[in-house]
Amino acid sequence: MKKRMKMLMTLFLAASMALTPITVMADDGQVQTQNAYETSEQETEVNTSSFGAETNETETGTYVQKEEASDNQTPSVETEEETPASRGSSDSDEGQETSGSGEPEEISTGVQSQNTENTENTENTDSNSEGIEHVKELIAALPDIKDVTADNEAQIKEAESAYNALSDADKATLDDPKNRPETKEQSYGRVLESALWGLEVLKKVDNSTTLPQGTYSASTTPALTSSSSKGKSSSSRIRTWTVTEVTVDGQGKAVATIQVDSGTYTTLRTNGETYKGTASGTGENKVTTFQNVPIDLNSTFYIAAYSSSMGTEIGYSVTTEIDESAATALTITNNTGMFKAVNARLEKQGDQTYLVMDLSGSGYHELYKGTYEEAVSNGDGSKDKGNDSWVHGYQNSEKRWEFSISLTEGELNGTDIPLVAVSNTYYGKYLNGNNDLKRAFYPRKIQVNESAKTLVTGDFTSEASLAVTLADGIMMKKPDAKLETIGGPNSNGYSETLKLIMQNGSYDRLYIGSKEDAAEAETKGETTRLDDANTFTVAVREGSFGGNITKDYLEQPVVVSFRGTSSGNWVERKVTISKTAKTLKIDPVTEQIKFRAVDEEGNTVEGASFTVKRKDTQINPDSDSAYTLVKDTAYTVEAGADGYETQTFTYAPDGTETEHTVILKKEKKEELKTIGLSYSAHVQNIGWQANVTDGTEAGTVGKALQMEAIKLSTTGDADVQAEYRSHIQNSGWENGWTKEGQISGTTGKKLRMEAVQIRLTGSDADKYDIWYQVHVQNYGWLGWAKNGASAGTTGKGLRMEAIRVRILSKGSAAPGSTDGSYVEPLVCYQTHVQNKGWMTSVSDGKIAGTTGKKLRMEAVKLTLNLPQSEGGIAYQSHLQNIGWERSWKTNGQISGTTGQKRRLEAVRIKLTGNIAEKYDIYYRVHVQNKGWTGWAKNGEDCGSTGLSLRGEALETVMVLKGAPAPGSTANTCWK
């Protein structure tokens, strides 16, 4: 630092004209010897701190700086604020001897308090010489800070009042370090200030606070800050006093730990008490710490600190800041001895709220916010070894483990918040490979009520609703279900309890096990009764401490038996309860059954076939020829073989067999009478064609001409006649059956046939099958139908173009494939239209929406008339101001919007599953100002995008894979 020395011309002129050498300290801390005419212009540090942070503010004054007194040496100039008790020796701040190079505790610098102007060479026209002299007399008579007692209060207040009555200029004069009482080393202003501070240190402190019980520092929330000041002192050495920590007890009283950056302070006085300090550190790092000092937070308090190096007390002011409103103390209720909170508070950091709590024991160093199952799925969440997703605890000043848990707004109203306490013992064993991680997890819960200022802790309990699904054919109204959890797999008394809430009293008892076991358990009173609330309550998982699971029916199918209230019979169901998926599924109990045919002598009948049906649904065998059948459910089985009579019987599997044997009788051979068939088609633009016979094509193929009517006649000596009826455009099925030789359909009306049914009558009809196959627009030849079944299409507006018909002996193989002989409407769709809402559902090429009315489509729904196993339909809309929806909607879900007056501009439609391999789906949109788009297919964009044009109507149709489009495919989407 550059040294700047100036002469002080008037210091000792009255005493001597000699150049008396004096020792001064330069602003770089080095001792200099100069004559009395020299002065040093130095920078003075005014220190404030926030836990050790130091700032320097500089003012300049003219002064003579006192040399540090060493052993047996007397300072040459009296410039100390406080006079050492013994001038013969003076220790440094660190209590070590100095020999001219150490820096004293307080050195007069001539620096004025901040915001006070230097009055040297300034004319003060407002000065009152008589008044200021009186104030000087009052101040000069005041005791030092160490000597102030309550008896001095009137004297000090009189001096204060007189000082305050002075003009600002006179106050500045008295505050000038050059203006001092003869017996004092500081300015009049500092002497008065010290006396006033002396009164303050005698007062008892109100150390009550609204902060929750706990310890606060710079690193906590809320954070604690502090600063210190030496007021009007002109000393060049200003120590920093820091409130490093504040502890709040259960009665809301705050005490502070205060630290000064010097080792020479032994005691301090405040709160009317004296507190001893403890020195620590060495050299420049030496500090003194005072503990358990009562403190009034967010205010300025005063201390009188005794410096052993100066032999006197020095006054400081200390100011603290902490947000006493940022934390809310909580009243704690602990409902378990294994997870007890001792202190708890809510802290806010911006918009986020945290629960800060410490636990009574030391067994948990980590927590996980969530359920036991979520914790297991999450894995190791430690900071060092895992994914850092746990709530990490730390030991606070009271040696308890403290945790800070973030809470959402919805978690502050007393709702259950699941926590998992991580056992430090078992986590350590996990790290050493002695147990798995989940062994360390103990589920707990807390409830935080911000308005009531309460925290409740306890073992984890919950009741979750389960989504119930019933398989087809289950004779039961769908019940409701809940799963109640108490504790976790490692806890004592752990249990998972199913509450099955029935819709009626059809069943009155439940047993987990087979119906045979249930019947036996009933005699012992070991079944579960339906209670008055129509609820079955049964434990489905239980365990004891350490993960010893004694019962477990979760996450797996189990047989559950129900007793019918009226019949008293037990029926079995397969029940799967999933806690993770929150589902309960009730399926039938099934068995794998094979059928075997033998003749009357017990010999195996080769080539026997079996048709198994439940009502009208045919059951197909698996690759091993086994049928999956529901236990105790009746099926119709038809067994047959060439040369044997067909055997039809009812079969209900009962769990006693895996193979069922059927006896077939030899077929009595009978000579069939001769029979023949001729038929003719009436075709658009052609009229009646010539008769054809036995499987020959009637009608046209590849000419796009519609069949309009048909006639059939049988020939031969068999007593067999044909009758038939047609499905006609705009009319549907004819009301009655047409006798052979008569016209079914229409002529001269230009109405297409769309489907046909043909059957045989007469005494010999049961000896024959009549087969027929039709050719349909967009589909081609469909499969063969027989004996009155429908062949063709309905609801699609498609023309029948040709037909083939054959009569075969009963039971003969079909003339060809029987797949897809009749096609019902495949795709149904519905639009939500401006001012109209949802319009009537249409299908297969019909218009959904409006044209020519300037009304926008707003949403669509599409479904397929197929079992889900065959596949589904997915679709997506392009919407005004949104664009394409992010996800595809499926199988009747709403795509688009309702109630938002938002236009639908384009669509994408596609098939999913097996159906997509058999069919293409075509669609087109009627667009504002454009008209109909071309036909798009299989997920392509259709409509308009980026043009702000409304879609007004939709048409959709399915065709066989690879078949021609219903129309032009140009301009499918305008962009």
Side-chain angles (χ1 to χ4, degrees):
M1 181 185 294
K2 181 179 178 181
K3 301 177 181 178
R4 296 176 296 172
M5 311 297 292
K6 295 177 63 178
M7 299 293 293
L8 181 60
M9 300 299 296
T10 61
L11 185 59
F12 294 125
L13 288 180
S16 173
M17 294 301 293
L19 298 179
T20 303
I22 62 172
T23 301
V24 299
M25 182 173 290
D27 53 3
D28 61 357
Q30 300 300 312
V31 175
Q32 304 289 331
T33 301
Q34 303 168 15
N35 63 40
Y37 298 111
E38 295 181 80
T39 61
S40 173
E41 182 179 75
Q42 296 193 0
E43 295 172 294
T44 299
E45 298 176 340
V46 179
N47 297 335
T48 61
S49 74
S50 176
F51 303 101
E54 188 172 276
T55 60
N56 299 326
E57 298 178 4
T58 303
E59 292 181 344
T60 302
T62 301
Y63 58 92
V64 176
Q65 185 159 4
K66 172 184 173 182
E67 178 185 8
E68 172 90 18
S70 60
D71 289 346
N72 302 317
Q73 190 175 29
T74 302
S76 58
V77 181
E78 290 186 1
T79 56
E80 285 290 348
E81 176 187 352
E82 290 88 5
T83 303
S86 173
R87 302 241 180 201
S89 63
S90 176
D91 294 335
S92 70
D93 285 348
E94 312 307 330
Q96 299 173 349
E97 292 185 353
T98 62
S99 57
S101 61
E103 184 174 343
E105 169 59 25
E106 293 206 355
I107 304 297
S108 176
T109 63
V111 175
Q112 304 166 86
S113 299
Q114 191 174 4
N115 299 326
T116 303
E117 296 182 358
N118 191 329
T119 59
E120 184 178 8
N121 299 322
T122 301
E123 183 179 0
N124 183 356
T125 58
D126 297 327
S127 176
N128 182 338
S129 59
E130 181 178 348
I132 196 170
E133 290 304 321
H134 174 64
V135 174
K136 285 182 178 181
E137 292 176 0
L138 292 176
I139 293 176
L142 295 179
D144 291 340
I145 190 170
K146 64 183 176 61
D147 299 320
V148 173
T149 68
D151 294 337
N152 301 122
E153 182 172 4
Q155 176 189 7
I156 296 170
K157 291 297 184 180
E158 180 185 5
E160 179 188 25
S161 177
Y163 173 88
N164 289 337
L166 294 174
S167 67
D168 289 343
D170 286 344
K171 290 178 184 176
T173 298
L174 294 184
D175 290 346
D176 190 331
K178 296 189 300 296
N179 293 322
R180 310 172 185 173
E182 292 182 1
T183 59
K184 307 290 185 182
E185 294 190 355
Q186 289 289 321
S187 68
Y188 285 95
R190 172 61 174 171
V191 171
L192 173 60
E193 180 182 63
S194 294
L196 289 168
W197 288 6
L199 288 177
E200 292 296 325
V201 302
L202 298 175
K203 296 178 180 178
K204 286 295 183 182
V205 171
D206 179 8
N207 65 332
S208 60
T209 176
T210 59
L211 284 173
Q213 184 175 0
T215 300
Y216 303 87
S217 65
S219 60
T220 62
T221 300
L224 173 70
T225 62
S226 68
S227 60
S228 63
S229 173
K230 215 169 184 180
K232 298 179 180 180
S233 170
S234 58
S235 171
S236 64
R237 190 60 177 268
I238 300 178
R239 292 300 182 181
T240 299
W241 292 78
T242 303
V243 180
T244 60
E245 193 174 78
V246 169
T247 300
V248 179
D249 64 16
Q251 285 71 47
K253 300 297 183 180
V255 293
T257 297
I258 305 174
Q259 193 173 88
V260 61
D261 57 347
S262 171
T264 65
Y265 287 95
T266 58
T267 62
L268 69 79
R269 289 190 303 115
T270 188
N271 189 46
E273 302 288 343
T274 300
Y275 300 88
K276 292 184 178 181
T278 302
S280 60
T282 59
E284 294 181 354
N285 296 320
K286 202 164 188 180
V287 297
T288 304
T289 303
F290 301 86
Q291 295 183 320
N292 297 320
V293 180
I295 187 170
D296 183 7
L297 295 173
N298 291 305
S299 66
T300 297
F301 67 97
Y302 302 91
I303 60 176
Y306 180 80
S307 169
S308 61
S309 65
M310 301 303 298
T312 190
E313 287 186 340
I314 303 171
Y316 278 87
S317 67
V318 182
T319 301
T320 60
E321 289 187 8
I322 187 170
D323 188 355
E324 292 181 86
S325 65
T328 302
L330 301 180
T331 300
I332 300 170
T333 301
N334 292 305
N335 291 326
T336 174
M338 303 303 292
F339 189 76
K340 293 176 65 177
V342 178
N343 298 309
R345 63 184 183 271
L346 291 178
E347 294 183 356
K348 294 193 179 291
Q349 298 182 19
D351 295 333
Q352 182 61 55
T353 301
Y354 293 86
L355 167 66
V356 180
M357 67 174 181
D358 53 25
L359 301 179
S360 62
S362 59
Y364 304 129
H365 298 180
E366 308 275 2
L367 301 177
Y368 175 79
K369 186 182 178 185
T371 64
Y372 172 86
E373 289 76 18
E374 291 168 341
V376 171
S377 176
N378 177 74
D380 190 341
S382 66
K383 184 180 299 183
D384 298 329
K385 304 289 185 180
N387 55 33
D388 197 18
S389 57
W390 289 345
V391 179
H392 311 300
Y394 76 96
Q395 273 192 303
N396 59 23
S397 61
E398 299 179 359
K399 304 302 180 182
R400 288 195 291 265
W401 284 88
E402 186 170 298
F403 302 87
S404 180
I405 304 168
S406 65
L407 301 178
T408 65
E409 184 175 349
E411 293 173 330
L412 296 171
N413 57 5
T415 188
D416 284 354
I417 303 171
L419 294 178
V420 173
V422 182
S423 165
N424 196 48
T425 299
Y426 287 104
Y427 178 66
K429 291 182 177 182
Y430 157 73
L431 294 178
N432 292 327
N434 296 326
N435 54 242
D436 57 17
L437 178 61
K438 62 184 179 182
R439 177 63 184 84
F441 293 161
Y442 289 81
R444 313 295 187 196
K445 73 174 181 181
I446 58 174
Q447 298 169 335
V448 178
N449 192 313
E450 184 178 29
S451 59
K453 299 181 180 180
T454 59
L455 168 68
V456 180
T457 72
D459 289 324
F460 177 78
T461 60
S462 72
E463 186 174 84
S465 295
L466 304 179
V468 179
T469 57
L470 292 179
D472 292 340
I474 296 293
M475 302 299 292
M476 175 188 291
K477 287 189 176 182
K478 185 167 73 173
D480 295 324
K482 295 180 179 180
L483 188 65
E484 181 184 70
T485 302
I486 299 177
N490 298 319
S491 309
N492 277 323
Y494 164 61
S495 68
E496 307 276 1
T497 302
L498 172 67
K499 294 183 178 179
L500 196 63
I501 304 140
M502 311 302 289
Q503 299 302 313
N504 53 41
S506 297
Y507 299 99
D508 63 356
R509 291 175 185 257
L510 176 148
Y511 181 79
I512 299 180
S514 69
K515 63 180 183 180
E516 292 81 12
D517 292 341
E520 182 178 352
E522 182 181 354
T523 64
K524 301 176 182 179
E526 296 174 353
T527 59
T528 300
R529 292 178 177 271
L530 189 72
D531 64 20
D532 293 340
N534 277 355
T535 300
F536 290 115
T537 302
V538 58
V540 292
R541 198 166 195 251
E542 292 179 338
S544 58
F545 179 76
N548 180 27
I549 303 301
T550 57
K551 178 187 293 184
D552 191 1
Y553 299 125
L554 294 182
E555 312 298 338
Q556 58 183 313
V558 295
V559 174
V560 177
S561 297
F562 296 85
R563 194 185 79 162
T565 303
S566 300
S567 68
N569 296 326
W570 289 90
V571 295
E572 295 177 350
R573 299 289 182 256
K574 184 168 62 177
V575 178
T576 305
I577 307 168
S578 174
K579 182 179 181 181
T580 54
K582 296 183 180 179
T583 58
L584 183 145
K585 186 178 181 183
I586 303 178
D587 291 306
V589 176
T590 59
E591 297 184 357
Q592 298 295 110
I593 301 295
K594 289 185 178 181
F595 293 98
R596 175 174 172 259
V598 298
D599 60 21
E600 292 175 289
E601 286 76 35
N603 300 314
T604 299
V605 176
E606 301 295 339
S609 62
F610 302 90
T611 301
V612 181
K613 290 184 177 182
R614 183 181 179 188
K615 296 183 179 178
D616 294 329
T617 302
Q618 182 168 323
I619 310 300
N620 296 317
D622 59 22
S623 59
D624 196 30
S625 300
Y627 295 83
T628 302
L629 305 180
V630 177
K631 189 177 180 182
D632 299 322
T633 299
Y635 293 85
T636 300
V637 181
E638 184 180 279
D642 287 342
Y644 293 85
E645 294 180 1
T646 299
Q647 177 77 19
T648 301
F649 59 95
T650 300
Y651 179 75
D654 60 4
T656 61
E657 62 181 8
T658 59
E659 183 177 86
H660 184 75
T661 300
V662 182
I663 299 174
L664 296 181
K665 296 179 179 180
K666 291 277 189 176
E667 187 177 46
K668 296 177 181 179
K669 292 186 178 180
E670 182 180 354
E671 292 293 332
L672 290 177
K673 298 176 182 178
T674 60
I675 188 170
L677 179 68
S678 66
Y679 48 97
S680 175
H682 188 280
V683 179
Q684 172 188 359
N685 299 336
I686 295 176
W688 286 106
Q689 294 179 320
N691 284 338
V692 295
T693 60
D694 295 330
T696 305
E697 177 184 304
T700 62
V701 174
K703 297 183 179 180
L705 298 176
Q706 64 193 24
M707 275 183 59
E708 297 175 342
I710 189 173
K711 293 186 294 184
L712 291 93
S713 296
T714 59
T715 59
D717 56 4
D719 182 18
V720 174
Q721 297 84 41
E723 60 181 18
Y724 38 93
R725 64 176 183 166
S726 300
H727 189 280
I728 302 170
Q729 175 185 355
N730 299 334
S731 298
W733 289 107
E734 293 173 313
N735 291 329
W737 291 84
T738 300
K739 301 297 183 181
E740 66 175 45
Q742 303 299 312
I743 296 174
S744 173
T746 64
T747 60
K749 296 183 179 181
K750 299 182 180 181
L751 298 176
R752 63 180 172 269
M753 284 181 62
E754 296 177 339
V756 68
Q757 297 171 341
I758 308 174
R759 68 186 183 186
L760 298 176
T761 62
S763 61
D764 293 327
D766 60 350
K767 300 180 177 65
Y768 301 92
D769 293 321
I770 186 165
W771 291 88
Y772 38 99
Q773 180 187 33
V774 300
H775 189 279
V776 176
Q777 171 189 356
N778 295 339
Y779 283 88
W781 287 107
L782 303 182
W784 288 85
K786 69 174 182 177
N787 300 338
S790 299
T793 67
T794 57
K796 292 177 169 294
L798 301 177
R799 62 182 173 268
M800 205 174 88
E801 298 176 338
I803 189 169
R804 296 170 179 160
V805 188
R806 292 190 67 182
I807 296 180
L808 300 177
S809 60
K810 179 63 86 176
S812 297
S817 172
T818 59
D819 291 340
S821 60
Y822 173 60
V823 181
E824 293 181 281
L826 289 180
V827 58
C828 300
Y829 45 102
Q830 189 177 11
T831 57
H832 189 281
V833 175
Q834 173 186 358
N835 299 336
K836 292 182 177 293
W838 287 107
M839 302 192 70
T840 302
S841 176
V842 298
S843 63
D844 295 334
K846 299 293 194 305
I847 295 176
T850 63
T851 59
K853 296 185 178 181
K854 299 182 179 180
L855 298 177
R856 64 180 173 268
M857 287 194 299
E858 297 177 338
V860 296
K861 295 188 290 188
L862 293 93
T863 58
L864 292 184
N865 190 19
L866 291 170
Q868 288 187 358
S869 59
E870 290 294 319
I873 188 167
Y875 41 97
Q876 195 176 27
S877 297
H878 189 281
L879 304 174
Q880 174 187 355
N881 297 333
I882 294 177
W884 289 108
E885 293 174 310
R886 292 186 177 181
S887 61
W888 291 78
K889 303 301 186 294
T890 60
N891 304 324
Q893 294 177 330
I894 295 175
S895 174
T897 63
T898 61
Q900 297 184 22
K901 299 181 179 180
R902 192 187 303 276
R903 63 178 172 268
L904 186 152
E905 299 173 342
V907 296
R908 297 168 176 159
I909 306 174
K910 64 182 179 181
L911 301 175
T912 61
N914 295 334
I915 194 69
E917 299 175 3
K918 300 178 182 179
Y919 289 90
D920 293 319
I921 185 162
Y922 280 90
Y923 45 96
R924 64 176 184 167
V925 175
H926 193 277
V927 178
Q928 171 189 358
N929 299 336
K930 298 284 189 180
W932 287 105
T933 66
W935 289 91
K937 72 172 182 176
N938 300 340
E940 296 173 347
D941 296 356
C942 185
S944 71
T945 61
L947 301 178
S948 299
L949 299 176
R950 63 180 173 267
E952 299 176 337
L954 173 69
E955 289 183 357
T956 306
V957 67
M958 289 171 59
V959 302
L960 290 173
K961 200 72 174 178
S968 171
T969 59
N971 297 322
T972 57
C973 188
W974 287 290
K975 299 183 179 181

